[in-house]
Amino acid sequence: MDKCPNCGNKLSNIDVLCPRCGAVVEVVQIKNSGSSTPPVSESHMNGINQGEKKDFPKEFPNLIVYNDDLPPEGMLGEDEDLSPGSDADAGNDIINGHHDADVEPAESEDFPEQHDDAVDLPDENEMSDEGTYSNDYLETIKNMPLPEVDSVDDFDPEEFMREYRRNRNAYNHIPAEGGADGQDSADKKFLELEEIGAAHEDADDTPEPDMAEESQPQADDVPLQENESDTQSEEDDTPNEAVPASLPYKKQRRRPLPLLLAVLIWVAVTGALFYGFVLLDRHVTDTYGGYDEFFYEISDGKIDLDTNAAYLKSVDFSVSEAQTDDGGYAHIYSIGTPDGVSVNVLPMGVAYNLTDGSADILIPDQTLFQSFGTVTYESPYLTSDVVFEIITSESSYAYTVDGLALFLYASEYSRQQPLQSISTTSEETVDIELVAAPESVVYINCSDYTDIVDAEGHLFVSLSLVLGENTITVDIMQPGRTAKRDTFTVIRQETQTTLIPDTDYLRIYNDAFTCYGTTDADARVVAQIDADAVFTAEVTADGSYTLVCTVQEYGLHDVIITATGDDKAEASVTIGVELVPELTAFSAEARELTTDDILSSAETLQNIPVKVTGRAKDISFSGSTQSFTLYTDDGDLPCYYHGTTTLEEGEAYTLYGMYDVAASAFYTMYVA
C-alpha cells in the first residue's frame, strides 16, 4: 500500500500506522510463543476509532511488527546475558526513547506483505468519509490474537524487545541493506515503536476533549509530521549508495594457549627442575658423600638413615692372599662380628656359617671371578663388587670389599693352522684349526663358533677370503680365566708362487739332509721343522732350490717348505723326513724281546733299539703311515711304520725299532 487510505500520506512498505494520522494501514501480526489472547474491550477500540486519546490504556501493548527478517521462534540462546547494559538488553533503549534517529535502517526486501495467519484489513469502501473505521473492522481488530499471552495486560513490550534482540545476537543476524531509500527496515520499525510509545504517554497527560469535537475529526486539523519516508519517496529515481550493514556483536572468547607454546613451557619447566636436581645431587655427593650423611648433618644427628654403617664399624674384616690345593690363586677372608650367625658371599650366593661370630673363608679367585659373569683380558682383575652379607639373629648387614685384586690364569688356546702370523695364498678360502678348553666360548671375527668345538676342544673351520689382506681375530673365553685374543693375517693373491718339491717323503740315516725342488726364479724359499727350526733355501736362476736341514731325534718329522714370490701368493707344502739309524749297526745293538716284555717295560725302553717277532693284523693306512698290531702267544703289541714296505694280514715279520711312550705304540724302523 503506497498511500494512507485515510489522509493520502505516502507510506513505505513497512509502515503499519500512518505517521500523519495514525490510521491502521496494513495487516499486523504479533508473534510470540503463545497462540491466543483474550479480545480487547470495545471501548478501547472505539476510543481508537474516534481519536479519543483518553481511551488508550496504559496497559495496551506497544505495537510490535515481527516479520520474516527476524529469527524464528525457539532460536533464543539459553546462555544469553539479559543483565542491564548488555547487548541483549539493548532493545530496552529503543522502547525508552533512546534510539538514534539519525541512523535509518535499510528496508528489508524479505519482509512479507501479508502472513498466512494474518487478519485481512477492510477495503477502503468499508471506511467512513471521516476517515474512521467501521464497527465491523473494529470488531476484527478487537478479536486479533496476541500470541503467547493470556490477556492484553500480560503483554510486556520491553520483554518482547529483549527477546528479539537476544535472538538477533544469538544467530549473528545482520539486517538486510535497504532498497531505493537505503535504510534498514528493522531499525525503521523501532522508530515507529518509539513514536507509538510517545503517543501513549501523551494520551495519559492530555485532558479529555468534548464529544462534539471528537465526532468531527478533520484531516486538515491533524498537524503534518515530516516523515523521512516522504523525502525518500521523492528520490526513488535516484540510485542510492550502498550502506554497509553493521557487523554483529560477537562475544570475545579467550584464545587457548597454542600447543607448541605449551609444550615449550613444559619442557623449560621440566628441564629447570631436572637441572636443579642434578646440581643438588652433585653438591650432596661432593660435600657429604651421600644422602644418608646429608640428612644426618642437616638434622644434627637426629635423622640417621644408614643403620648399616653403625653396625659395620664393629665388624673385624681382613683379606689375605693364599693358594688352593692345586696351587691356584685364592684369598682368605677373615671376618669377626659381635652377634653374627652366618655370612653370605655375593655374587657367589654361597653361605658360610660363623663360629662364635667369626670365620676364615678360603675362596679361589677363579671361582669368585666366574660368578661375576664378565670378561676380562687382563690379570689381576680389580673389583668392588664383592659383598659379604652378615646375618644376625635380628637383621642383616652388607659389608663391601673395595679394591679386591683377583689373579687369573689365561684361557687355554693354541693355533694349529695356519702357523704363520702373516701368510699368502691364491685360494678363495683358508682353513683354520684351533685347540681350546672344551668349555671355552670361541669367537672368530665376532662370530660365535662355540657349537662346533668338540669334546677335546678342537675346532676346524674354513673361512672365505677376499683379494688382498684378510685380518682374522680369534677370541677365546674360558670361564674363570682371562680371555685370550689371537690375530693373524692371510693375504689372498691372484697368482700363486710355484713350489714343487722332488719328494713328499725322505728317509735319512744322518741328522743332516738336503731337500730339492723347483720354484720361481725370484721366489724366497724357507723350511720349518716341527714348528721350531727355520732354514732358508738357495734358489738358482732357473728356479731350482736346495734346502739343507738338520734334525736331532729319530722318527718322522714334518718339514714345511714355503715359497713366496713378488706380487704372488705364497705356496706351501709339507714333506715327511724320517731319521733312522743305519740298519747294520742298529740290528747289532737291538735287544730281542717278546711283546709282553715290551709292554711291561715300556717306560724303560725309550730310545733303546728293540727286536721283536710276530704276525701282523688290523693293518690300516693314513697317508704313508701304516698302523697295525703285532700278535704273539704272549700278547698284542700296537705298532706303526713309515717305510715303503707294504705289510700283509697274518704274515710273520721281524721288526726293528723303539717304543714310543707318547704314542703308546712300537715305532717300527725296519721290517725284515
Side-chain angles (χ1 to χ4, degrees):
M1 184 178 294
D2 298 332
K3 295 183 180 182
C4 176
N6 186 32
C7 65
N9 184 35
K10 284 188 177 183
L11 303 174
S12 65
N13 60 349
I14 64 170
D15 287 338
V16 178
L17 299 179
C18 178
R20 177 174 296 176
C21 65
V24 177
V25 296
E26 191 171 348
V27 177
V28 178
Q29 182 183 12
I30 300 178
K31 289 188 179 179
N32 207 324
S33 59
S35 61
S36 63
T37 182
V40 183
S41 63
E42 184 176 357
S43 62
H44 288 171
M45 294 297 100
N46 291 335
I48 295 175
N49 188 40
Q50 300 298 329
E52 295 177 0
K53 296 184 179 179
K54 65 176 183 178
D55 289 335
F56 273 93
K58 204 167 188 179
E59 295 78 14
F60 192 85
N62 295 330
L63 187 57
I64 307 299
V65 178
Y66 190 174
N67 63 359
D68 288 344
D69 72 332
L70 301 180
E73 295 178 16
M75 299 177 66
L76 176 62
E78 295 179 0
D79 57 343
E80 193 67 19
D81 185 10
L82 297 179
S83 60
S86 65
D87 291 338
D89 195 46
N92 293 336
D93 296 340
I94 298 174
I95 298 300
N96 296 330
H98 300 295
H99 180 68
D100 188 0
D102 295 338
V103 180
E104 296 183 5
E107 180 179 345
S108 173
E109 295 179 359
D110 298 333
F111 188 79
E113 295 183 358
Q114 184 173 353
H115 295 278
D116 294 339
D117 55 352
V119 180
D120 295 335
L121 292 174
D123 297 334
E124 295 183 6
N125 53 12
E126 296 178 358
M127 301 174 63
S128 62
D129 296 336
E130 293 79 13
T132 58
Y133 295 99
S134 64
N135 291 331
D136 294 336
Y137 178 68
L138 292 177
E139 187 68 18
T140 303
I141 293 297
K142 180 177 66 175
N143 295 326
M144 288 178 61
L146 295 176
E148 296 190 271
V149 293
D150 297 330
S151 67
V152 175
D153 296 335
D154 295 334
F155 184 84
D156 186 357
E158 295 183 357
E159 177 64 21
F160 184 87
M161 287 307 300
R162 281 197 295 271
E163 181 178 350
Y164 163 71
R165 179 60 68 132
R166 276 196 313 224
N167 286 329
R168 290 173 64 88
N169 291 338
Y171 291 88
N172 296 329
H173 179 70
I174 301 176
E177 295 185 0
D181 52 4
Q183 295 179 340
D184 191 337
S185 61
D187 288 346
K188 190 171 184 67
K189 295 171 190 176
F190 299 154
L191 181 59
E192 297 293 334
L193 292 172
E194 180 183 354
E195 295 173 356
I196 294 173
H200 287 180
E201 294 177 0
D202 294 339
D204 295 337
D205 299 334
T206 305
E208 286 187 359
D210 295 336
M211 293 300 295
E213 296 179 3
E214 295 175 4
S215 61
Q216 300 293 335
Q218 298 294 330
D220 296 336
D221 297 335
V222 181
L224 295 177
Q225 299 180 2
E226 183 178 358
N227 192 352
E228 293 181 4
S229 62
D230 297 340
T231 305
Q232 294 172 1
S233 62
E234 298 175 1
E235 301 175 358
D236 289 343
D237 298 334
T238 304
N240 66 319
E241 297 180 359
V243 179
S246 60
L247 294 176
Y249 169 78
K250 292 186 178 179
K251 183 182 292 184
Q252 294 294 330
R253 297 182 179 178
R254 179 177 296 176
R255 297 181 60 185
L257 192 64
L259 178 60
L260 179 59
L261 181 58
V263 171
L264 291 177
I265 294 175
W266 179 84
V267 170
V269 172
T270 305
L273 292 176
F274 179 77
Y275 184 68
F277 176 77
V278 170
L279 293 179
L280 175 63
D281 182 73
R282 186 179 302 173
H283 172 72
V284 170
T285 303
D286 296 342
T287 306
Y288 300 95
Y291 284 94
D292 296 338
E293 294 80 2
F294 172 70
F295 286 110
Y296 186 84
E297 290 292 335
I298 65 176
S299 63
D300 295 332
K302 297 180 180 179
I303 300 177
D304 188 4
L305 301 179
D306 190 6
T307 57
N308 187 61
Y311 179 84
L312 294 181
K313 292 179 180 178
S314 63
V315 175
D316 184 14
F317 189 89
S318 63
V319 181
S320 59
E321 296 182 3
Q323 288 185 342
T324 60
D325 294 339
D326 57 357
Y329 297 112
H331 282 84
I332 294 178
Y333 304 91
S334 301
I335 185 171
T337 64
D339 54 354
V341 177
S342 62
V343 60
N344 187 22
V345 181
L346 302 175
M348 290 176 55
V350 179
Y352 299 89
N353 293 326
L354 301 179
T355 303
D356 297 332
S358 63
D360 294 328
I361 304 172
L362 175 66
I363 302 177
D365 290 0
Q366 180 174 341
T367 303
L368 186 57
F369 173 76
Q370 188 173 351
S371 66
F372 295 151
T374 187
V375 176
T376 182
Y377 290 86
E378 298 178 356
S379 179
Y381 176 75
L382 298 178
T383 179
S384 299
D385 297 331
V386 180
V387 177
F388 285 77
E389 186 181 16
I390 303 172
I391 310 299
T392 66
S393 58
E394 297 179 354
S395 182
S396 62
Y397 305 92
Y399 188 95
T400 302
V401 182
D402 295 328
L404 179 63
L406 302 179
F407 297 91
L408 307 172
Y409 292 103
S411 298
E412 299 176 6
Y413 168 77
S414 65
R415 171 163 41 92
Q416 303 296 317
Q417 184 181 352
L419 295 174
Q420 298 85 358
S421 298
I422 301 177
S423 60
T424 60
T425 181
S426 60
E427 302 294 331
E428 296 181 353
T429 59
V430 60
D431 295 333
I432 300 176
E433 184 178 358
L434 310 173
V435 178
E439 68 273 13
S440 299
V441 177
V442 181
Y443 278 83
I444 301 178
N445 287 347
C446 299
S447 297
D448 192 356
Y449 289 87
T450 306
D451 294 339
I452 62 175
V453 178
D454 61 19
E456 288 76 27
H458 292 276
L459 181 148
F460 183 86
V461 63
S462 181
L463 299 181
S464 299
L465 300 176
V466 298
L467 287 175
E469 188 174 290
N470 296 263
T471 300
I472 299 174
T473 302
V474 179
D475 288 284
I476 305 296
M477 290 161 281
Q478 185 176 351
R481 298 193 176 197
T482 60
K484 191 170 185 179
R485 175 168 292 175
D486 179 28
T487 301
F488 56 95
T489 302
V490 178
I491 301 174
R492 177 189 168 190
Q493 296 177 342
E494 295 183 357
T495 305
Q496 189 174 25
T497 304
T498 303
L499 179 61
I500 304 175
D502 289 348
T503 182
D504 58 356
Y505 173 77
L506 185 63
R507 173 172 279 221
I508 61 175
Y509 303 99
N510 297 309
D511 55 358
F513 65 95
T514 304
C515 297
Y516 301 95
T518 303
T519 185
D520 296 331
D522 59 349
R524 296 175 298 278
V525 179
V526 296
Q528 188 175 16
I529 300 177
D530 296 334
D532 293 327
V534 178
F535 304 91
T536 303
E538 294 182 0
V539 181
T540 62
D542 60 355
S544 299
Y545 70 86
T546 301
L547 268 171
V548 179
C549 308
T550 59
V551 292
Q552 301 299 325
E553 297 179 357
Y554 291 125
L556 184 65
H557 301 271
D558 290 333
V559 180
I560 302 174
I561 302 175
T562 303
T564 305
D566 294 338
D567 299 328
K568 292 183 179 180
E570 178 183 275
S572 180
V573 295
T574 301
I575 65 173
V577 177
E578 184 179 13
L579 175 63
V580 295
E582 194 273 329
L583 178 58
T584 303
F586 187 79
S587 61
E589 297 178 1
R591 297 170 56 183
E592 187 173 359
L593 301 174
T594 64
T595 55
D596 183 60
D597 294 336
I598 296 174
L599 293 174
S600 60
S601 305
E603 297 292 335
T604 62
L605 296 177
Q606 189 171 4
N607 297 326
I608 296 178
V610 174
K611 176 183 177 182
V612 62
T613 302
R615 295 181 178 274
K617 68 176 183 178
D618 301 332
I619 302 172
S620 62
F621 296 86
S622 176
S624 61
T625 302
Q626 301 178 64
S627 299
F628 62 97
T629 300
L630 186 71
Y631 66 94
T632 64
D633 294 339
D634 296 329
D636 296 343
L637 178 65
C639 306
Y640 64 90
Y641 174 56
H642 299 301
T644 57
T645 301
T646 302
L647 303 179
E648 296 182 1
E649 290 281 343
E651 291 292 331
Y653 297 100
T654 299
L655 309 180
Y656 294 88
M658 299 177 180
Y659 189 80
D660 186 354
V661 177
S664 299
F666 184 77
Y667 169 39
T668 303
M669 299 179 180
Y670 295 100
V671 176

